[in-house]
Amino acid sequence: MKLTEYPYLVQSEILHNIDYRDLFLLSFVSNKMKKIIKSSQRNRFENIKSLNYKCYRNSHPIIYIRLKNGQKTDLLAVTKRQKFEGPECFSLNVSGKLIDFKFYKYYATSYFGRFVATFNPDESTAVIESIHKYNLHFFGNSVDYYWRTEDHEINIPKLQNVSTCMELWYISPDTDNLNDFFSTSPNLKSISIRTTTPRELVRPDSKFYQAECVDTFQSYITFPDIFHHFQGKRTFIQCRRCEISHLIDFVNRWKLGRTFEKLEVLSFRNFVARSMPPNKVFNDIGAKHIDATKTPPTHTVPTKVEWYNEKKEDKNTEAGPITSCTYVVRETDKHVASVLIQGDIFRFGVWDMTEEEFLRMIE
């Protein structure tokens, strides 16, 4: 059957009943076929929220799409070529580069049931770049692109329009530092880290602290040292060993306007203390208070860590809007931050407005 010989409406109906993975693979047949798929399935492609390159530990990416309804569909895996690929291999021209593909049928491999693009050790980056270039053209700019990795020993490629999200839930006890890894990495969208070491593994000027969002579960406040070095927008800290003085020092330095210039929201949870003493904290940070008879404004920013889009979020990262009668003012520009203490959770939300503008919302 030659699909191109049918009328356009018939083509559209046939393609509409083909799943996303097979549409993706069918698009490699020819430029004409790719154009037919893109034009006839435009409305369907609008249901795609993101395209993801997911790297599991010590492996190259599995490429999948995530629909707006949460459904996930694998498209392709990318891996190093084996010594014997067998007769099932076939070559396709992907953005001007010939790449060998294979379908794994058997349970003996972790790629069971997936189409796999293979590469020689010296062409890993070139193959991934070619595939991504193809994806950009095929899916367009309406889709969010993410590189998701769990491994700090594999370099992250620098790809156009791709946001990098990293999960550092295992750091070898032998790791002296992570500076080399972050120095060669692209800028990161989000980092989720779990660590039990008190040693600082990255420099203060590391890209680690420049990530837009950092979510931590740490035993010691010394690493990562978010309160002193974070330069991003959102951070969610869960720590076992932290003193109230660390929070007070953070707020007072923010008030001076010498750090945390981009900060939108900070959420902190102390696992040791069952609750924080609000009066002491508010006194030590020089907090101001809105009349309790009035309704304070609600501070709202996206609080989700990108990594958690696909996972159940914990209590700290899904904290939601901040509604509080307590606030502090930054000296340099008179901007306001709402402060809220709920049991063992401290929350800090920065407003893009002056105190005068902030109070005007209450009147």
Side-chain angles (χ1 to χ4, degrees):
M1 179 184 76
K2 291 187 177 181
L3 184 64
T4 54
E5 294 180 353
Y6 286 89
Y8 182 78
L9 289 178
V10 177
Q11 293 175 358
S12 298
E13 185 63 25
I14 293 173
L15 293 172
H16 188 74
N17 287 282
I18 297 177
D19 63 31
Y20 284 103
R21 186 188 69 172
D22 290 341
L23 281 178
F24 177 67
L25 296 173
L26 188 60
S27 71
F28 288 110
V29 170
S30 67
N31 286 330
K32 183 176 182 180
M33 179 59 68
K34 181 167 67 173
K35 290 178 181 178
I36 292 173
I37 294 173
K38 288 181 64 176
S39 63
S40 66
Q41 303 301 300
R42 184 179 294 110
N43 291 339
R44 191 175 169 195
F45 277 20
E46 289 178 357
N47 294 322
I48 301 174
K49 180 179 181 181
S50 64
L51 184 143
N52 303 266
Y53 302 86
K54 175 64 185 290
C55 291
Y56 297 92
R57 191 169 297 160
N58 296 319
S59 69
H60 289 86
I62 290 175
I63 304 171
Y64 65 90
I65 56 172
R66 176 73 62 177
L67 303 184
K68 292 177 180 178
N69 64 6
Q71 183 180 347
K72 171 186 171 183
T73 299
D74 287 351
L75 299 180
L76 184 70
V78 184
T79 190
K80 188 183 300 183
R81 181 177 287 112
Q82 304 300 312
K83 290 183 179 179
F84 176 71
E85 293 291 355
E88 301 92 346
C89 279
F90 56 95
S91 296
L92 294 174
N93 187 322
V94 182
S95 300
K97 182 175 181 59
L98 279 179
I99 299 176
D100 288 339
F101 289 79
K102 179 177 180 177
F103 180 72
Y104 281 84
K105 302 177 182 179
Y106 307 108
Y107 287 97
T109 172
S110 60
Y111 294 125
F112 166 72
R114 291 190 174 101
F115 277 94
V116 179
T118 64
F119 58 84
N120 292 320
D122 61 342
E123 59 178 2
S124 169
T125 300
V127 167
I128 291 172
E129 287 177 347
S130 294
I131 292 173
H132 178 62
K133 183 178 179 181
Y134 186 90
N135 290 339
L136 278 175
H137 186 264
F138 186 63
F139 292 103
N141 295 324
S142 61
V143 174
D144 293 327
Y145 296 89
Y146 293 107
W147 184 278
R148 304 178 184 274
T149 182
E150 301 175 358
D151 197 334
H152 61 274
E153 296 180 355
I154 295 180
N155 290 335
I156 301 173
K158 297 178 181 179
L159 303 174
Q160 182 182 352
N161 294 350
V162 173
S163 297
T164 302
C165 304
M166 184 160 200
E167 183 182 76
L168 277 171
W169 286 15
Y170 173 79
I171 301 175
S172 170
D174 299 326
T175 301
D176 291 327
N177 67 71
L178 298 169
N179 289 314
D180 290 343
F181 172 80
F182 284 106
S183 66
T184 59
S185 298
N187 294 331
L188 283 88
K189 180 78 170 179
S190 65
I191 300 174
S192 179
I193 183 170
R194 305 292 182 264
T195 174
T196 58
T197 179
R199 294 183 298 112
E200 180 70 276
L201 299 182
V202 293
R203 293 188 299 267
D205 61 349
S206 169
K207 289 181 183 177
F208 176 94
Y209 291 116
Q210 297 169 20
E212 183 175 312
C213 183
V214 174
D215 155 49
T216 80
F217 188 109
Q218 56 194 98
S219 294
Y220 299 90
I221 200 64
T222 50
F223 178 70
D225 192 356
I226 299 294
F227 284 139
H228 287 93
H229 306 314
F230 185 61
Q231 301 174 45
K233 295 181 179 180
R234 302 187 295 278
T235 183
F236 307 89
I237 308 166
Q238 299 184 75
C239 186
R240 294 186 180 278
R241 295 174 177 84
C242 178
E243 302 295 333
I244 299 300
S245 59
H246 292 120
L247 288 173
I248 294 170
D249 177 66
F250 151 72
V251 176
N252 286 330
R253 283 186 294 112
W254 179 88
K255 287 174 62 181
L256 292 174
R258 298 173 183 172
T259 187
F260 306 107
E261 295 178 358
K262 299 178 182 178
L263 186 66
E264 294 178 353
V265 65
L266 177 146
S267 183
F268 174 84
R269 186 181 184 192
N270 190 335
F271 277 98
V272 176
R274 292 185 178 180
S275 62
M276 300 182 194
N279 292 336
K280 172 177 173 50
V281 175
F282 294 156
N283 287 336
D284 288 352
I285 64 175
K288 296 186 176 184
H289 302 276
I290 297 170
D291 191 323
T293 62
K294 297 182 179 180
T295 302
T298 297
H299 178 276
T300 305
V301 296
T303 57
K304 291 184 178 180
V305 181
E306 295 295 341
W307 187 268
Y308 285 94
N309 281 348
E310 304 174 355
K311 300 183 179 182
K312 183 178 180 181
E313 298 181 71
D314 59 41
K315 182 179 179 181
N316 203 36
T317 58
E318 63 178 7
I322 301 173
T323 303
S324 175
C325 290
T326 306
Y327 68 95
V328 292
V329 181
R330 188 160 52 196
E331 294 179 3
T332 51
D333 57 9
K334 305 304 179 184
H335 278 209
V336 169
S338 294
V339 181
L340 179 65
I341 295 177
Q342 295 174 309
D344 61 353
I345 296 179
F346 172 91
R347 305 190 59 218
F348 188 86
V350 181
W351 293 82
D352 187 20
M353 61 179 64
T354 64
E355 181 180 18
E356 182 180 349
E357 295 168 329
F358 174 75
L359 295 175
R360 197 178 298 147
M361 293 194 297
I362 304 171
E363 299 173 354

